[in-house]
């Protein structure tokens, strides 16, 4: 794989994982409608 | 009848993510990326995700929760509440029931192959089919297209279909909380574990054949990720990326509207919608991009990989992958992991396709859940038979175009215009933030009102200019298949007319003034 291929892979994976972890932390940390944490 | 509700926030997110994560994540995405510029494809892909996919997610979650507050779980009622001065708008909402039903009728059959193949992998039934040719013959015999030493007819496939179909109906019958949510709470984590497991196995393959060291996993990833910048100048690359985002997120079906209608008025939609979308992206870009293409490349090389990609996603999944996985130690187990992973992706999607029609009968005709599920089962069981017995006649492709391609874009365009223009951006923005756990960037006010509808118009125009004329004239249909396609079209038109009639009946029996806010 070429260097630019690796760059695309790392940036794509990193971006998606970053947003995923942010959403997961916020979702699990928020109160749901039944009042449970 | 008390309205059903989700048991937890995580439950609804997993249900929506389960609906979005389907066979396309693992089979369609890598083929589209490899054919449309590799790494460069990710530029239009992410542009479409940000400008089309995520806004549509938020629009559908918001409309769904809003409509649910008025006692409606499906698009006709929701569109009517958004624009109650227009008595025709509810008929456009029929697309949001029609699309999922017609996709369900072929999708459950394909899903049943995955259940069958999971068992075949475990018991070693296709062991010995070590070439693409023999594995292809195995598939054709299973489908009843050929007879031979593996299967004498379609009976095995039909038994797996009955099991899969029954399982879908049973989950729907159990209801939103005890059926759909309960299944997704287990199925999604298992799906992710299997996908992670297969990804690690594939990425550690190295060069399986030491005699051909260039056929290795790094080059397989390169086949998918090395950018071909010239493709960015081609309009079809951008359309392919937009199409992929559209289909992968399950937007434009009407499914998310129905799922979101079971939320409470104060439940968050902004963070939940984003979480469901990005969960789907993990499954697609990270897992979907790391299994099929790199594995097939490492075993077969670039030239054959192009042939496989041209052969379509089903061939990659049902023919290429079992051949590849058989060559690994514990190949039967990896084969099972692959097919069961796809089966879980399939069933969490198919149950979501059944829910709008069942919810429509429950809400608008006050029919009980068991009766609504039974009615749905009878109708879809009958309609599935052409997909089973006329396989190879183009019936599935025909259904997929009307329900899974054109219908989605038309429906998404209507709901976007209704939300941003008729309901009004100020009210829409306020509604999106009720109970919200995050603040949506203000740029999305502009994107939802102008950019998303424009994007959808461009996709629609390209369908009408390039795809529709050829499909209407049956350009790629052989003479002997024409009667089958015409019969399928009559069936589709008939179903649409019946659904439109049911909407008319439902509103005719409502008291004048129609809807009241039940929230």
């Amino acid at each position: 794989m070429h260097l630019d291929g690796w760059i695309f892979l790392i940036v794509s994976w990193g971006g998606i994982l970053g947003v995923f972890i942010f959403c997961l932390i916020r979702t699990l940390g928020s109160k749901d409608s039944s009042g449970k944490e | 009848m008390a309205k059903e509700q989700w048991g937890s926030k995580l439950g609804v997110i997993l249900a929506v993510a389960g609906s979005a994560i389907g066979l396309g994540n693992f089979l369609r995405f890598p083929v589209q990326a490899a054919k449309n510029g590799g790494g460069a494809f990710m530029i239009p892909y992410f542009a479409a995700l940000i400008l089309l996919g995520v806004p549509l997610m938020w629009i559908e979650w918001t409309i769904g929760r809003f409509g649910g507050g008025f006692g409606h779980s499906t698009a006709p009622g929701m569109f009517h509440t958004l624009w109650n001065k227009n008595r025709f708008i509810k008929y456009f909402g029929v697309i949001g029931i029609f699309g999922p039903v017609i996709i369900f009728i072929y999708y459950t059959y394909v899903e049943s192959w995955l259940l069958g193949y999971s068992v075949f992998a475990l018991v070693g039934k296709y062991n010995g089919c070590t070439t693409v040719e023999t594995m292809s013959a195995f598939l054709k015999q299973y489908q009843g297209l050929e007879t031979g030493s593996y299967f004498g007819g379609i009976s095995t496939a039909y038994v797996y279909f009955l099991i899969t179909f029954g399982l879908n109906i049973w989950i729907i019958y159990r209801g939103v909380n005890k059926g759909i949510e309960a299944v997704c709470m287990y199925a999604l984590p298992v799906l992710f574990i299997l996908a992670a497991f297969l990804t690690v196995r594939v990425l550690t393959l190295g060069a399986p054949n030491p005699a051909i060291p260039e056929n290795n996993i790094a080059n397989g990833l390169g086949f998918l990720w090395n950018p071909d910048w010239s493709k960015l100048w081609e309009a079809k690359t951008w359309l392919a990326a937009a199409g992929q985002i559209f289909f992968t997120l399950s937007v434009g079906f009407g499914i998310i509207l129905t799922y979101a209608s079971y939320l409470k008025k104060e439940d968050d939609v902004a963070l939940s919608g984003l979480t469901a979308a990005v969960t789907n992206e993990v499954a697609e870009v990270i897992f979907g991009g790391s299994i099929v293409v790199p594995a097939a490349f490492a075993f077969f090389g670039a030239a054959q990989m192009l042939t496989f990609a041209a052969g379509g996603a089903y061939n990659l999944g049902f023919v290429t992958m079992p051949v590849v996985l058989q060559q690994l130690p514990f190949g039967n187990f990896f084969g099972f992991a692959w097919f069961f992973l796809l089966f879980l992706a399939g069933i969490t999607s198919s149950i979501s396709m059944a829910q709008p029609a069942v919810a429509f009968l429950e809400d608008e005709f006050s029919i009980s859940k068991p009766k609504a599920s039974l009615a749905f089962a009878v109708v879809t069981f009958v309609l599935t038979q052409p997909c089973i017995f006329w396989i190879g006649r183009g019936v599935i492709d025909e259904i997929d175009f009307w329900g899974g391609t054109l219908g989605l874009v038309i429906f998404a365009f209507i709901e976007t215009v209704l939300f941003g223009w008729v309901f009004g951006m100020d009210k829409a923005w306020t509604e999106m933030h009720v109970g919200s756990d995050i603040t949506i960037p203000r740029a999305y006010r502009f994107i939802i009102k102008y950019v998303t509808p424009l994007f959808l118009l461009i996709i629609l125009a390209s369908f009408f200019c390039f795809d529709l004329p050829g499909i209407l004239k049956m350009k790629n249909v052989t003479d002997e298949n024409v009667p089958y396609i015409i019969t399928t079209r009559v069936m589709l038109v008939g179903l649409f007319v019946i659904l439109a009639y049911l909407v008319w009946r439902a509103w005719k029996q409502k008291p004048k003034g129609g809807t009241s806010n039940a929230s």
Side-chain angles (χ1 to χ4, degrees):
Chain A
M1 180 147 80
H2 307 153
L3 178 65
D4 45 7
W6 283 113
I7 292 170
F8 269 107
L9 186 148
I10 291 165
V11 170
S12 300
W13 283 32
I16 288 169
L17 280 176
V19 180
F20 179 67
I21 291 166
F22 164 80
C23 288
L24 205 62
I25 291 170
R26 291 293 301 263
T27 299
L28 295 176
S30 68
K31 278 188 177 181
D32 71 17
S33 58
S34 59
K36 288 179 287 191
E37 287 286 346
Chain B
M1 234 183 312
K3 191 160 172 62
E4 292 186 279
Q5 282 182 340
W6 297 104
S8 68
K9 186 175 183 173
L10 191 63
V12 59
I13 291 171
L14 288 178
V16 174
S19 169
I21 299 170
L23 310 189
N25 292 58
F26 298 93
L27 298 174
R28 192 177 189 272
F29 166 75
V31 173
Q32 288 292 320
K35 282 200 311 201
N36 291 292
F41 178 75
M42 298 315 288
I43 293 172
Y45 180 86
F46 282 121
L49 177 66
I50 291 165
L51 301 176
L52 191 66
V54 172
L56 278 168
M57 259 294 180
W58 280 326
I59 290 170
E60 295 202 354
W61 276 74
T62 310
I63 294 178
R65 185 186 60 179
F66 181 77
F70 289 85
H72 296 295
S73 298
T74 48
M78 289 177 187
F79 285 8
H80 183 74
T81 45
L82 287 176
W83 196 5
N84 54 21
K85 285 183 184 151
N86 188 317
R87 60 200 179 100
F88 294 109
I89 195 66
K90 56 185 176 286
Y91 296 105
F92 287 97
V94 170
I95 305 170
I97 304 170
F98 172 78
V101 169
I102 64 169
I103 301 300
F104 179 88
I105 64 180
Y106 82 79
Y107 201 86
T108 35
Y109 185 46
V110 176
E111 188 185 310
S112 74
W113 304 350
L114 295 162
L115 182 62
Y117 270 62
S118 303
V119 177
F120 300 155
L122 269 188
V123 301
K125 183 158 175 73
Y126 59 67
N127 283 3
C129 297
T130 50
T131 62
V132 170
E133 290 72 26
T134 49
M135 200 64 223
S136 184
F138 185 91
L139 177 63
K140 282 181 179 163
Q141 288 179 28
Y142 178 74
Q143 293 169 332
L145 288 168
E146 289 175 4
T147 51
S149 54
Y150 305 117
F151 299 98
I154 204 170
S155 55
T156 310
Y158 207 83
V159 169
Y160 281 108
F161 163 68
L162 290 176
I163 296 169
T164 307
F165 187 83
L167 202 55
N168 273 277
I169 299 301
W170 180 72
I171 295 167
I172 290 301
Y173 162 76
R174 296 266 300 160
V176 169
N177 181 222
K178 289 182 181 165
I180 295 170
E181 186 173 354
V183 167
C184 291
M185 288 289 269
Y186 288 103
L188 263 283
V190 173
L191 184 154
F192 270 80
I193 291 166
L194 289 174
F197 178 66
L198 279 166
T199 299
V200 170
R201 184 65 197 99
V202 168
L203 294 182
T204 52
L205 275 174
N209 184 353
I212 319 173
E214 65 273 21
N215 286 0
N216 58 49
I217 285 299
N219 284 343
L221 286 170
F223 186 80
L224 190 66
W225 287 97
N226 285 341
D228 174 0
W229 298 103
S230 66
K231 294 277 185 186
L232 284 181
W233 300 104
E234 295 176 15
K236 73 178 179 70
T237 302
W238 291 80
L239 288 171
Q244 181 60 28
I245 281 297
F246 219 94
F247 310 132
T248 190
L249 290 176
S250 273
V251 287
F253 270 108
I255 291 169
I256 296 172
L257 297 181
T258 299
Y259 273 11
S261 74
Y262 302 116
L263 292 169
K264 297 190 199 84
K265 177 76 184 162
E266 67 276 15
D267 282 344
D268 157 84
V269 294
L271 178 62
S272 301
L274 184 63
T275 308
V278 76
T279 305
N280 176 72
E281 290 311 304
V282 171
E284 176 151 299
V285 177
I286 297 179
F287 296 134
S290 304
I291 301 175
V292 176
V293 168
F297 185 98
F299 279 94
F300 294 104
Q304 280 224 58
M305 195 55 235
L306 289 170
T307 316
F308 296 151
Y314 287 159
N315 268 336
L316 264 178
F318 287 98
V319 176
T320 312
M321 276 306 278
V323 173
V324 166
L325 295 172
Q326 276 186 79
Q327 298 180 43
L328 302 177
F330 307 105
N332 285 6
F333 177 72
F334 285 112
F336 167 76
W338 168 245
F339 286 115
F340 196 63
L341 150 77
L342 292 184
F343 175 72
L344 291 177
I347 196 161
T348 49
S349 299
S350 60
I351 53 177
S352 73
M353 294 168 200
Q355 187 59 24
V358 173
F360 174 71
L361 294 176
E362 286 181 280
D363 289 348
E364 312 300 351
F365 291 95
S366 300
I367 294 175
S368 67
K369 172 79 76 185
K371 283 185 183 165
S373 306
L374 181 68
F376 176 81
V378 170
V379 171
T380 51
F381 184 81
V382 171
L383 294 178
T384 307
Q385 304 312 305
C387 299
I388 298 173
F389 292 100
W390 293 349
I391 196 158
R393 298 290 185 181
V395 172
I396 289 180
D397 288 341
E398 185 70 17
I399 292 174
D400 190 60
F401 176 76
W402 295 106
T405 307
L406 190 62
L408 302 191
V409 189
I410 293 174
F411 186 81
F413 180 70
I414 294 167
E415 65 183 3
T416 306
V417 170
L418 270 178
F419 190 69
W421 291 83
V422 178
F423 191 57
M425 211 49 235
D426 289 336
K427 271 169 80 180
W429 193 252
T430 308
E431 186 64 30
M432 286 165 84
H433 284 89
V434 172
S436 172
D437 287 332
I438 55 169
T439 304
I440 298 169
R442 278 192 74 80
Y444 273 98
R445 278 182 73 108
F446 179 80
I447 291 171
I448 288 172
K449 187 156 185 178
Y450 299 103
V451 181
T452 308
L454 188 66
F455 212 141
L456 289 164
L457 258 187
I458 293 169
I459 299 173
L460 259 183
S462 85
F463 273 139
F464 282 112
C465 293
F466 304 119
D467 297 331
L468 198 60
I471 285 171
L472 280 175
K473 291 177 194 161
M474 295 187 261
K475 252 188 174 172
N476 297 323
V477 179
T478 58
D479 287 346
E480 58 179 19
N481 286 348
V482 167
Y484 297 96
I485 300 300
I486 291 173
T487 309
T488 306
R489 286 183 185 178
V490 170
M491 182 181 93
L492 294 178
V493 171
L495 181 67
F496 193 92
V497 169
I498 289 169
L499 286 170
Y501 169 74
L502 288 176
V503 169
W504 176 78
R505 269 288 298 273
W507 260 261
K508 197 164 183 267
Q509 66 191 33
K510 279 182 199 295
K512 280 256 174 186
T515 52
S516 65
N517 193 342
S519 62

